[in-house]
Amino acid sequence: PIYLSLTTNVVSAAIRESAQREQLEATQTILQSQQNLAKLINQQFAIGTVSKIDTSSQNTLVANSQSQLYSFDKNLSVTRNMLIAYIGSYPGSADLPQFRLANLHLPNEIPKVIPTDLVRQRPDIRAAEAALRASNAQVGVATANLLPQLNLTAAYGSQALTTTALFGPGTAMWNLGAGIFQPLFQGGSLRAQRDAAKAAYEQAAANYESTVVNAFQEVANALKALETSANTLASAASAEKNAGVNLNLVTQQYKLGSTNYLAVLNSQTQYQQAKINLIQAQADRYTSTAALYAAIGGGWWNRSGSAYLGREQASSSTIAPAQ
């Protein structure tokens, strides 16, 4: 479970870093376009063709984009430092590549139906199942302890039928009686041990049931998230494309004097938000896929070799994108 959690965190951090870097770059491009338009509007204001409201509105939009740029830059640094810490290195000392969403690839086939045997491979289910079997075995041991601990042979039937032979100290028949009654003489101790073993078994059974229910819940949620992320990505891509076309048309109309500045301002805002939403939708698509593989155990049973690479090897390695 620890290895699975670590690898999931590494993949999620790499995807998040990619998204934040591309959001940063997209905002830089948008900011440059906004600044160019601000210069044009300031020139028009100087000759009296636009109002002060137009220039202040565009300058406000530029300032907001700059503020958003600083926020993306900070988040990118925090995420990258987190990713470096996950591989066991220190900020500034790890030679990690700059991940790009365009260089990541979804698996060729993503399962839409997860069979029970695949979910059963999850480490938490395997651990709960092993604990349940161990508890069941302890119940059997505790129950067996209630029986007399002795070996019966034919020699007992050949003993002389005398008082001394039957009940004398150290005789076979006396030892036989002691072996039979020993569990009874221990009072409720052995029964208490058996009851405790049964209680432990019931607890293990409840834990196993809870683990299985939680596992299937996580898998179901991951499948739904995967479906939702695919639909969201398609919608975000369409919105970004249409917003870009609209911005280009409105900007050209504004330069020709056939539309007012308010239309340009609205188009810029819509495109900026659509571009950021598209990058986030792309990242969510990758993250949802990684979450599904984590929910079904991450395929650890197919892994060979040691799970631990060591600090030096890990810091110099790259995170291979899913194929």
Side-chain angles (χ1 to χ4, degrees):
I2 296 176
Y3 181 84
L4 177 60
S5 177
L6 176 60
T7 53
T8 302
N9 289 337
V10 169
V11 171
S12 298
I15 294 172
R16 186 163 60 253
E17 185 204 28
S18 302
Q20 290 170 346
R21 177 174 292 105
E22 295 190 18
Q23 286 174 335
L24 175 67
E25 294 172 352
T27 304
Q28 288 173 333
T29 302
I30 294 171
L31 175 60
Q32 183 63 50
S33 176
Q34 291 172 346
Q35 289 173 334
N36 293 337
L37 187 58
K39 292 179 180 179
L40 175 61
I41 294 175
N42 288 331
Q43 293 173 355
Q44 292 175 338
F45 174 73
I47 61 177
T49 57
V50 298
S51 67
K52 183 64 176 179
I53 295 178
D54 294 339
T55 59
S56 61
S57 297
Q58 183 65 23
N59 290 334
T60 299
L61 188 62
V62 169
N64 288 335
S65 295
Q66 288 174 331
S67 176
Q68 192 174 30
L69 196 64
Y70 297 143
S71 178
F72 283 136
D73 184 58
K74 182 201 72 173
N75 293 337
L76 178 60
S77 297
V78 170
T79 302
R80 188 163 184 81
N81 290 336
M82 181 185 299
L83 181 59
I84 292 173
Y86 281 149
I87 66 170
S89 191
Y90 303 96
S93 63
D95 184 19
L96 284 179
Q98 291 188 353
F99 299 102
R100 313 286 304 187
L101 290 177
N103 295 333
L104 302 179
H105 303 282
L106 293 173
N108 294 329
E109 295 183 4
I110 300 178
K112 296 182 179 180
V113 178
I114 306 298
T116 300
D117 289 343
L118 192 58
V119 180
R120 189 182 179 186
Q121 298 289 345
R122 283 173 53 119
D124 55 346
I125 292 183
R126 296 288 292 269
E129 185 177 346
L132 181 62
R133 290 177 176 175
S135 297
N136 186 39
Q138 289 299 319
V139 173
V141 171
T143 302
N145 287 338
L146 294 175
L147 298 175
Q149 305 300 315
L150 54 85
N151 295 321
L152 295 176
T153 67
Y156 291 119
S158 63
Q159 301 294 329
L161 298 179
T162 64
T163 302
T164 303
L166 289 175
F167 302 106
T171 62
M173 293 302 294
W174 175 256
N175 291 335
L176 176 62
I180 292 176
F181 290 106
Q182 182 180 5
L184 301 178
F185 290 153
Q186 292 188 15
S189 175
L190 294 177
R191 286 192 295 272
Q193 292 177 10
R194 181 188 61 180
D195 293 341
K198 287 184 177 180
Y201 172 78
E202 292 175 357
Q203 181 179 2
N207 178 69
Y208 176 75
E209 180 179 359
S210 175
T211 301
V212 171
V213 170
N214 179 71
F216 277 88
Q217 179 183 359
E218 288 184 359
V219 172
N221 291 341
L223 285 171
K224 184 61 179 179
L226 190 64
E227 178 185 4
T228 302
S229 66
N231 295 333
T232 302
L233 178 57
S235 299
S238 176
E240 189 270 344
K241 180 180 179 180
N242 291 327
V245 171
N246 181 71
L247 177 59
N248 289 333
L249 292 176
V250 172
T251 301
Q252 292 298 324
Q253 291 175 353
Y254 176 77
K255 291 179 179 179
L256 295 175
S258 60
T259 188
N260 58 28
Y261 170 72
L262 181 60
V264 178
L265 183 64
N266 290 335
S267 296
Q268 288 181 109
T269 303
Q270 290 174 0
Y271 178 74
Q272 183 178 17
Q273 189 59 53
K275 184 66 175 180
I276 299 301
N277 289 343
L278 174 60
I279 295 173
Q280 187 59 53
Q282 291 172 332
D284 289 343
R285 177 63 169 163
Y286 289 117
T287 302
S288 297
T289 305
L292 175 61
Y293 277 88
I296 59 178
W300 62 267
W301 54 92
N302 293 324
R303 188 179 66 246
S304 60
S306 175
Y308 178 69
L309 295 177
R311 175 173 297 173
E312 295 183 358
Q313 184 177 353
S315 62
S316 61
S317 63
T318 61
I319 301 174
Q323 298 296 329

